């Protein structure tokens, strides 16, 4: 079998007494949209953080396209083609939307030890930024400072920033958190478009979206993967029903 | 937004014009003192501008920036004492030693954030202060008198008040120009991005510390230049220029003028030092008025004088 784009093996991460990631093993082949679901506090964000290098695992390994990236710092992983969006919006609040995306394109373009030319006048960077903004429907908001964008627009910008680094693997941590119905629908449409171009790991509480989009789903509970399979298989899975999808657990929308 | 920019623009232009014409005013009125005062102001404005690069644009609250004034000054003073009077040697050495000091201090302190960074930069500057105090051969606590100003082979005569003033002003304007280019360059955007949100910058692929360190070294080198000029201006260098209160003065100038604005530190330096001068002529307790006044501006005038100008023109 070909090497999967992402291979996670026996990943463990503790916070004091609790095990937030408990021997997680996961494979995501190139081209797949892999959803990770689980109740609040299951360890989804913690897992994403370890994949991107914002958080170091205590044991286990992470391979990207066959290369061991378990110990690489976040910026190196980004250079290797990993991009993320944050559950809690994480942008340069005092920069314009265009600047946010252009900086991502700039990171992609190599080192930034250039001290003299006006970076905002670099055609290549601006064009890359505009095309990413267009992609998410924010082209007409390019010149607006992030702190003046609506929550929904900021979520879209998160995605544009991630796209501008031209990633192989996109890690999305609840891209729909806090979005209204129309905004959510737009995001789903966008993701179903994007999945044709890039491998995606999607963490999401919106079950409708997850089951519509995912090729495969892994269910995380108390840091453990209790099931992994196609949407149909997950729907049928008894353990998942008991632990998560069943009626004793109300699946809440985040907001 | 646009008009705010224009008022700031206007004030900056007027400021530069005023500084350029000052020797003429001094000549016409026969007021020599104003030229002496403003030479000092221009030099300290240069130091403040360099501090603004790391503090305003880079978010690095260095509380030890006056160390470079001492390092640049001692480089000139020690070389002069040892018989090397050429400015073409003294100034490059002053810059190089400042850069090296910044590299070492930066590498050690930039791992820390917030209050720790403030404390560690302060600690290093105080160390520099005590080292200078211990240089018995070069005057120790009492400082070192420089008997001959830097020699620029007849190109400029630093002994001539007007020429020296213009030398300092030229240095200031060149440094402000460089800072303007830097903050709009790829490098500058990265540094400002790191100030805004380091986690985001790392996620898109920027190793933060590396960029911060280079910025720290650039700012230190620029301030070393101010130190070399200051020593020439006073014909003297002593550990006192490195004392933590001097670092504090520079910070106040930056905050007063407006952090992260191009001409803010220059306006801040002018306002601070002119105010100090005027108040000290009125009363010997000037510090009692100056302190609370600055506190008010820092607490309520968000964005300093530049911020005030921006709000003013927006109505
Ligand atoms: N920095 C931290 N320090 C201590 N505990 C943490 C930290 N980050 C996460 N945890 C804990 O680890 C567990 C997993 O948290 P995590 O944020 O990964 O869950 P999640 O699945 O993303 O939840 P949600 O659906 O609410 O976003 C939780 O019990 C949480 O309290
Ligand atoms: Mg989470």
């Amino acid at each position: 079998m070909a090497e999967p784009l992402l291979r996670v093996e026996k990943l463990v991460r503790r916070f004091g007494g609790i095990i937030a990631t408990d021997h997680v093993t996961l494979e995501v082949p190139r081209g797949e949209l892999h959803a990770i679901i689980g109740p609040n506090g299951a360890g989804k964000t913690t897992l994403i953080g370890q994949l991107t290098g914002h958080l170091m695992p205590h044991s286990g390994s992470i391979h990207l396209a066959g290369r061991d990236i378990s110990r690489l710092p976040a910026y190196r992983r980004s250079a290797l083609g990993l991009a993320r969006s944050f559950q809690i919006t994480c942008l340069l609040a005092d920069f314009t939307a265009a600047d946010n995306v252009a900086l991502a394109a700039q990171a992609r373009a190599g080192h930034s030890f250039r001290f003299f030319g006006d970076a905002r006048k670099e055609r290549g960077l601006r064009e890359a930024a505009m095309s990413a903004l267009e992609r998410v429907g924010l082209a007409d908001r390019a010149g607006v400072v992030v702190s003046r964008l609506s929550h929904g627009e900021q979520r879209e910008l998160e995605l544009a920033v991630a796209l501008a680094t031209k990633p192989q693997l996109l890690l999305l941590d609840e891209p729909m958190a806090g979005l209204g119905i129309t905004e959510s629908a737009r995001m789903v449409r966008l993701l179903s478009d994007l999945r044709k171009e890039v491998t995606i790991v999607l963490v999401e509480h919106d079950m409708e979206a997850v089951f519509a989009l995912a090729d495969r789903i892994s269910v995380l509970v108390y840091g453990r993967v209790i099931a992994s399979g196609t949407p149909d298989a997950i729907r049928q899975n008894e353990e998942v029903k008991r632990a998560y999808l069943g009626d004793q657990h109300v699946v809440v929308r985040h907001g | 937004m646009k008009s705010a920019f224009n008022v700031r623009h206007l004030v900056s232009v007027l400021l530069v014009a005023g500084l350029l014409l000052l020797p003429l005013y001094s000549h016409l009125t026969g007021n020599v003192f104003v030229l002496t005062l403003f030479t000092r102001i221009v030099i300290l404005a240069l130091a403040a501008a360099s501090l603004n690069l790391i503090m305003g644009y880079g978010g690095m609250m260095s509380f030890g920036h006056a160390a470079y004034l001492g390092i640049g000054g001692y480089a000139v003073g020690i070389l002069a004492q040892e018989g090397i009077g050429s400015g073409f040697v003294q100034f490059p050495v002053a810059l190089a030693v400042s850069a090296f000091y910044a590299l070492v201090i930066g590498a050690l302190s930039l791992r820390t954030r917030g209050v720790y960074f403030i404390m560690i930069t302060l600690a290093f500057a105080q160390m520099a202060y005590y080292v200078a105090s211990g240089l018995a051969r070069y005057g120790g606590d009492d400082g070192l008198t420089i008997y001959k100003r830097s020699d620029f082979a007849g190109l400029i005569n630093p002994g001539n008040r007007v020429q020296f003033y213009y030398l300092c002003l030229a240095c200031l304007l060149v440094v402000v120009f460089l800072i303007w280019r830097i903050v709009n360059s790829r490098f500058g955007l990265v540094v400002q991005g790191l100030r805004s949100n380091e986690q985001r910058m790392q996620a898109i692929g920027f190793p933060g510390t590396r960029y911060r360190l280079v910025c720290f070294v650039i700012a230190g080198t620029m301030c070393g230049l101010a130190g070399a000029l200051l020593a020439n201006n006073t014909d003297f260098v002593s550990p006192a220029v490195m004392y933590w209160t001097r670092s504090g003065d520079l910070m106040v100038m930056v905050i007063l003028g407006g952090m992260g604005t191009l001409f803010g530190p220059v306006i801040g330096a002018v306002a601070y030092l002119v105010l100090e001068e005027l108040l000290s002529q009125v009363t010997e307790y000037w510090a009692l008025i100056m302190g609370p006044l600055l506190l008010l501006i820092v607490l309520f005038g968000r964005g300093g004088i530049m911020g005030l100008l921006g709000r003013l023109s927006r109505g």
Side-chain angles (χ1 to χ4, degrees):
Chain A
M1 205 187 115
E3 175 74 28
L5 181 58
L6 177 70
R7 183 152 53 85
V8 179
E9 269 170 349
K10 302 202 191 75
L11 209 62
V12 176
R13 169 76 206 202
R14 294 177 218 92
F15 289 113
I18 64 159
I19 305 186
T21 307
D22 188 357
H23 296 87
V24 167
T25 294
L26 203 70
E27 284 194 359
V28 182
R30 212 176 272 279
E32 184 173 283
L33 192 151
H34 193 112
I36 296 175
I37 63 173
N40 291 139
K44 303 181 295 293
T45 298
T46 304
L47 176 60
I48 297 284
Q50 291 169 89
L51 298 182
T52 57
H54 288 95
L55 207 60
M56 284 298 155
H58 286 125
S59 66
S61 70
I62 304 161
H63 286 76
L64 184 71
R67 174 171 179 172
D68 188 350
I69 60 165
S70 321
R71 296 281 143 201
L72 294 185
Y75 73 89
R76 291 284 309 280
R77 297 187 200 194
S78 167
L80 291 174
L82 219 110
R84 83 177 286 185
S85 75
F86 289 84
Q87 177 174 1
I88 296 162
T89 305
C90 182
L91 294 161
L92 310 175
D94 48 350
F95 284 58
T96 64
D99 280 348
N100 269 268
V101 189
L103 265 168
Q106 185 179 315
R108 169 77 190 169
H111 74 76
S112 285
F113 289 106
R114 292 205 204 161
F115 303 89
F116 220 68
D118 190 333
R120 289 191 179 89
K121 290 190 178 132
E122 284 190 47
R123 286 270 302 280
L125 297 180
R126 287 292 127 172
E127 277 165 11
M130 277 315 286
S131 81
L133 285 173
E134 258 158 39
R135 197 70 213 262
V136 302
L138 279 180
D140 55 330
R141 306 287 280 161
V144 180
V145 174
V146 166
S147 54
R148 287 167 185 267
L149 292 176
S150 73
H151 175 76
E153 288 170 332
Q154 292 188 7
R155 302 303 302 170
E156 287 163 346
L157 184 57
E158 277 268 339
L159 195 57
V161 169
L163 287 177
T165 63
K166 297 245 182 318
Q168 306 188 52
L169 178 61
L170 199 51
L171 307 169
L172 304 177
D173 196 354
E174 302 199 22
M176 282 162 241
L179 293 189
I181 294 169
T182 41
E183 290 170 323
S184 275
R186 206 160 75 194
M187 186 64 84
V188 171
R189 232 174 303 130
L190 183 57
L191 292 183
S192 61
D193 237 18
L194 276 177
R195 56 174 301 181
K196 294 170 201 149
E197 298 157 36
V198 55
T199 312
I200 299 177
V201 172
L202 171 68
V203 170
E204 190 46 66
H205 276 292
D206 184 334
M207 286 308 128
E208 217 175 303
V210 165
F211 280 90
L213 287 167
D215 296 308
R216 283 196 307 144
I217 299 174
S218 291
V219 184
L220 212 58
V221 176
Y222 293 122
R224 281 191 313 116
V225 177
I226 61 165
S228 192
T230 61
D232 280 339
I234 293 299
R235 233 190 292 263
Q236 307 304 325
N237 188 303
E238 286 304 321
E239 200 181 348
V240 175
K241 278 193 203 161
R242 242 194 337 272
Y244 184 43
L245 292 178
D247 14 49
Q248 71 265 53
H249 256 285
V250 184
V251 180
V252 283
R253 270 194 193 221
H254 263 220
Chain B
M1 210 54 204
K2 202 148 196 110
S3 68
F5 175 70
N6 282 338
V7 170
R8 291 177 175 191
H9 215 68
L10 186 71
V11 170
S12 305
V13 169
L14 288 177
L15 181 73
V16 173
L19 289 176
L20 281 169
L21 293 176
L22 191 91
L24 187 65
Y25 168 81
S26 162
H27 178 73
L28 291 177
T29 58
N31 184 346
V32 178
F33 172 73
V34 74
L35 191 59
T36 313
L37 173 66
F38 268 84
T39 306
R40 198 169 93 86
I41 290 178
V42 164
I43 294 171
L44 291 177
L46 200 173
S50 73
L51 175 60
N52 182 44
L53 178 61
I54 50 175
M55 193 167 114
Y57 291 104
M60 294 171 258
M61 287 286 169
S62 168
F63 201 164
H65 209 62
Y68 304 102
L69 288 178
I71 290 167
Y74 271 99
V76 170
I78 290 174
L79 285 173
Q81 171 100 338
E82 300 299 341
I84 301 170
S86 169
F88 297 117
V89 177
Q90 291 176 348
F91 275 66
V93 168
L95 299 192
V97 176
S98 299
F100 181 72
Y101 175 83
L103 186 66
V104 173
I105 302 310
L108 293 172
S109 57
L110 283 171
R111 293 161 207 283
T112 61
R113 295 279 178 278
V115 178
Y116 299 100
F117 183 75
I118 295 176
M119 296 312 286
I120 200 167
T121 48
L122 171 64
F124 278 121
Q126 285 301 91
M127 246 163 67
Y129 169 83
Y130 286 113
V131 167
S133 304
L135 292 176
R137 182 179 163 78
Y138 303 107
D141 259 338
D142 299 330
L144 177 63
T145 302
I146 298 167
Y147 292 101
K148 202 168 163 300
R149 289 190 175 184
S150 300
D151 175 14
F152 287 100
L155 221 60
I156 325 156
N157 174 15
N160 176 302
R161 265 200 200 91
V162 174
Q163 284 189 33
F164 184 64
Y165 173 81
Y166 277 119
L167 173 67
C168 295
L169 186 57
C171 287
L172 172 65
L173 294 179
V174 166
V175 161
V176 169
F177 173 76
L178 288 178
I179 291 175
W180 174 60
R181 299 304 307 190
I182 289 172
V183 298
N184 288 301
S185 71
R186 283 192 179 199
F187 174 80
L189 291 191
V190 172
V191 168
Q192 291 167 81
L194 288 166
R195 176 202 63 201
S196 178
N197 189 337
E198 180 160 16
Q199 194 178 37
R200 167 43 79 193
M201 291 299 280
Q202 280 176 350
I204 57 179
F206 289 110
T209 309
R210 211 170 297 174
Y211 288 93
R212 278 211 180 88
L213 182 58
V214 172
C215 187
F216 196 76
V217 171
I218 293 172
T221 311
M222 287 172 169
C223 194
L225 173 62
L229 291 171
L230 193 64
N232 268 290
N233 187 44
T234 44
D235 302 308
F236 179 69
V237 58
S238 80
V241 295
M242 293 195 255
Y243 201 58
W244 67 272
T245 53
R246 303 303 296 273
S247 295
D249 288 343
L250 292 178
M251 287 178 105
V252 170
M253 289 173 202
V254 174
I255 296 169
L256 180 64
M259 280 208 285
T261 60
L262 197 59
F263 278 96
V266 181
I267 293 179
V270 172
Y272 181 82
L273 293 167
V274 167
L275 200 66
E276 181 184 86
E277 190 56 45
L278 293 178
L279 286 176
S280 66
Q281 281 172 12
V282 177
T283 161
E284 59 183 301
Y285 302 112
W286 58 271
L288 282 181
I289 306 172
M290 185 96 163
L293 201 66
L294 291 174
L295 209 64
L296 280 179
I297 294 176
V298 170
L299 286 180
F300 297 108
R302 273 190 50 226
I305 296 171
M306 278 300 192
L308 225 63
L309 290 177
R311 280 196 296 277
L312 216 73
S313 52
R314 239 169 293 160

